[in-house]
Amino acid sequence: MDNNNTATYSLRQLVFYFLGLGSWGFGGPVALAGYMHRDLVEKRKWISEEDYKEGLALAQLAPGPLAAQLGIYIGYVHYRILGATLAGLAFVLPSFMIVVTLGFIYTQWQGIPWMQAVFYGVGAAVIGIIAMSAYKLTRKSIGTDKWLGAIYLMTAAYTIWKENENVLLFLGAGIIYWWVKSPKKKISLPKKKAGELIKSFSFPLLFNFSFGASGNTLWQIFLYFTKAGALVFGSGLAIVPFLYGGVVKEHAWLNEQQFMDAVAVAMITPGPVVITVAFIGFLVAGFAGACMAAFGTFFPSYVFTVVPAPYFRKYGKHPGIKAFVDGVTAAAIGAISGAVIVLGKRSLVDIYTIALAIITVIVLLRFKKLPEPVIILVAAGIGLLLKHIQ
């Protein structure tokens, strides 16, 4: 535990928090990051604003699911490797079990038309929840700083235009803001430690490419999803195009309808959207396939968070590094805000869904303590009702 920054909460409390968030946290990475800020920074004050920003910046710079990496980093802040490991497992486990259960139901019933109806309502409400989370993050982190505002708008526009995220934009944003704030200062890590950091980052990639494809389906699943977790930047649905190319086109594990059903399952279940990999794994090779796909996807992001975390903790308070992190954070929040528009275009398909999203925003503004799961349940019921009437 960090003696320089004593925790005001127990590891058990943190684990139970992430179990809860993994059980009811709807909305994908944007909303989940917003929940963590609201609950752990604003309400409970377990995590400082600076630690949260560092975690968000690191999660945005590394490949893999943003929300899971942010949760892992938050676990690391006071309880190091054990905290990071337990926080990550607690966050992912509930949604994993839900998705595997749905996979079993799906294989028994040969399809999920009722899920499409549920998603019709839930997807619209989720857009409202995401919009509120993005608004709060923007107001908190960008403020009136013109440079941060410009970075924010640029990355938001890029995300809306390209419908994906580019790690070079985040790196560039950090460098530009560092240059603006401290143009004459140089930042460098000790050569030995920098070398160790590079070696640590290289190892998972070398591991990923040093084995040839095996005829064993489980081994193929593990290798393929490890590649997805290690090489795909962006969060939430950013991994979907990559998965489509491999799961449907390259390996032909699923047909197009099954793949779209897998994406729908991820969107209507709590926790990280990337958990769709467990549903895909289950359809391909049962429970063992689900485990292999989930482990392969999340383990690289765990490594990419835990390995550089000590350096972020040690050097993150340096003025130059802090400026770099602020720039990356502004870019990350811009991308998150842009994602609201991208996802909205897919979920708000008619007057009913648009109205439901607007009503969700109004309800959240009016009743600030209303739990999101209540909104999700009501939206699911409305979705089923509307689909039945239409």
Side-chain angles (χ1 to χ4, degrees), residues 58-206:
L58 178 57
Q60 200 70 56
L61 285 171
L66 179 145
Q69 288 171 308
L70 180 58
I72 290 167
Y73 187 87
I74 287 173
Y76 185 90
V77 168
H78 290 113
Y79 291 98
R80 296 298 184 256
I81 297 293
L82 181 61
T85 304
L86 293 180
L89 287 173
F91 183 43
V92 173
L93 189 60
S95 56
F96 173 81
M97 297 307 298
I98 292 169
V99 165
V100 167
T101 302
L102 291 174
F104 175 77
I105 294 171
Y106 182 89
T107 55
Q108 296 298 309
W109 290 358
Q110 295 299 310
I112 44 171
W114 64 270
M115 284 187 180
Q116 299 292 347
V118 167
F119 177 62
Y120 177 76
V122 170
V126 161
I127 295 301
I129 294 171
I130 292 174
M132 283 299 297
S133 297
Y135 169 71
K136 289 178 181 178
L137 280 172
T138 302
R139 189 177 62 177
K140 184 79 175 179
S141 300
I142 306 301
T144 58
D145 190 301
K146 293 181 180 179
W147 281 97
L148 292 180
I151 290 169
Y152 168 86
L153 291 174
M154 180 183 68
T155 50
Y158 179 89
T159 303
I160 295 168
W161 175 41
K162 289 291 189 179
E163 297 194 356
N164 61 30
E165 298 168 11
N166 189 333
V167 69
L168 295 179
L169 276 180
F170 302 116
L171 288 171
I175 292 169
I176 288 170
Y177 197 66
W178 162 77
W179 183 82
V180 168
K181 288 296 181 180
S182 50
K184 295 180 182 178
K185 295 179 181 178
K186 292 184 178 179
I187 305 169
S188 61
L189 298 176
K191 289 183 180 179
K192 184 178 178 183
K193 291 188 176 180
E196 289 173 356
L197 184 60
I198 292 168
K199 182 187 264 187
S200 299
F201 264 84
S202 300
F203 176 74
L205 293 178
L206 289 172

Side-chain angles (χ1 to χ4, degrees), residues 206-268:
L206 289 172
F207 171 81
N208 196 41
F209 290 108
S210 46
F211 296 95
S214 167
N216 184 288
T217 303
L218 288 177
W219 183 241
Q220 285 184 325
I221 290 172
F222 174 73
L223 286 178
Y224 176 74
F225 285 101
T226 298
K227 184 188 294 184
L231 299 181
V232 176
F233 286 87
S235 52
L237 293 177
I239 199 173
V240 169
F242 183 92
L243 292 180
Y244 177 81
V247 171
V248 178
K249 297 295 185 183
E250 181 183 348
H251 294 287
W253 285 329
L254 303 182
N255 61 39
E256 295 205 8
Q257 184 57 55
Q258 288 172 323
F259 182 80
M260 292 310 298
D261 287 345
V263 175
V265 165
M267 292 297 290
I268 65 171

